[in-house]
Structure formats: C-alpha cells, structure tokens
Amino acid sequence: MPHMTTHARDTAGRDTARAASARGADGRIPAARYAVLPIAPAVLEQLRRRDDAGRPAEPYTDPEGDAPLRCCLRPSRAGERIALVSYAPLRRWAAATGARPGAYEELGPVFVHGEECEGPAEGTGYPFARPGALRNLRYYDAAGRICDGRLLELPEAADEAVGRALGEAFADPGVALVHVRAVEYGCFHYEVRRPAGR
C-alpha cells in the first residue's frame, strides 16, 4: 500500500497543543497576508487519473491521518481516502506564462484526496505552519529559475513568521513566485505568487 510511516510523514497538525499557540486570543488562526495556492481542481483531476510521472493514482484509506494534503491544504484524517502522486509544481505555471524552467522543473511526491474535495477553508492562516517545523522557501524568477531562497524554522508565532518571510521574498522585484517546502523530505507544500501591483 503506497503510504508513508508515521516517522516519514511531515508532522503538520500532530501537536495541537503547540499549534494552538499560533492562534489568536479568540482561538482562530489569522488570515494569511499572501494568497496560498493549493493544487488547482483541474490539475487534481488529471493527477487522480495519471500523475505527472505518467503513473495512475492508487487511492487508499489513510490509517493514521496527518498526511499534508495539497488539494485542501490541511492534514488528512484517519479513514480518509488519499493518494500519493508525483507532481511537477512549475509545469503548468510555466506553460501558461511562457517560462522555461528547464532543469528547475522538479517532480516530487504529494498527498491529495483520492476524490474531489471541498478545497481549502477560507480565512485560515498559512498551511502546515506548526511551531518548530523547518521550511525551505524557494524563490523563482519569471523564467522559472531559482533565484534565491531561505531556511525558516517556525517559531511559536508561526503564521507571522511565514508572512514576514514571504514579504522579504517579494521585496525583491525579481521574485515571481515562492514555493514552500518541508526541509526533512523536500516535499512541496504550496505556492505563493507575487501579489498584483507589488
């Protein structure tokens, strides 16, 4: 069965006591300042038939939960049907913009729901922003090439730290988009594009 062990999963969502410290006084996660993009529904439909490596998806029932889902940007729940598929995060953006990332077009594993889902909840903060987690922010230019990046260890105020890091990235006018990844396994988590007019 194509699933990862508890140790091999990203630990987003596991430690609710620590994650609660990133919430406001009313218990809500503050809204993200920069728009976070999940994998688009049309792309998910393709990936659920055949992934970016050309393999058919093999959905299975998640026995543990906490797999970081890139379709709705939350951890999975035990008993949900999910699939681990290969995904090329730059591919469709490059095709739409005329960018030519060349060797920078990477392919890697991501978890998605095995069937169509509700997508991300509105008004939430940055996905998988668990205090103590290590994140790699990769900056890409308009040609689709890595132009910079940074390592970020998330503090207790994890959402604020991610927002500041993205602000620093987009302060460079040459940065067109940022990919946020887990450090331990290098997995792509989500994309943030330069806000309009900035």
Side-chain angles (χ1 to χ4, degrees), residues 3 41 46 70 96 101-102 115 140 186:
H3 67 275
Q46 296 168 7
R70 281 41 166 238
E115 298 177 350
Y140 293 85

Side-chain angles (χ1 to χ4, degrees), residues 28 31-32 36 38 71-74 77 117-125 127:
R28 297 186 59 183
V36 173
C71 47
C72 52
L73 300 178
R74 66 164 175 80
R77 303 180 186 106
C117 68
E118 71 280 4
E122 293 185 13
T124 57

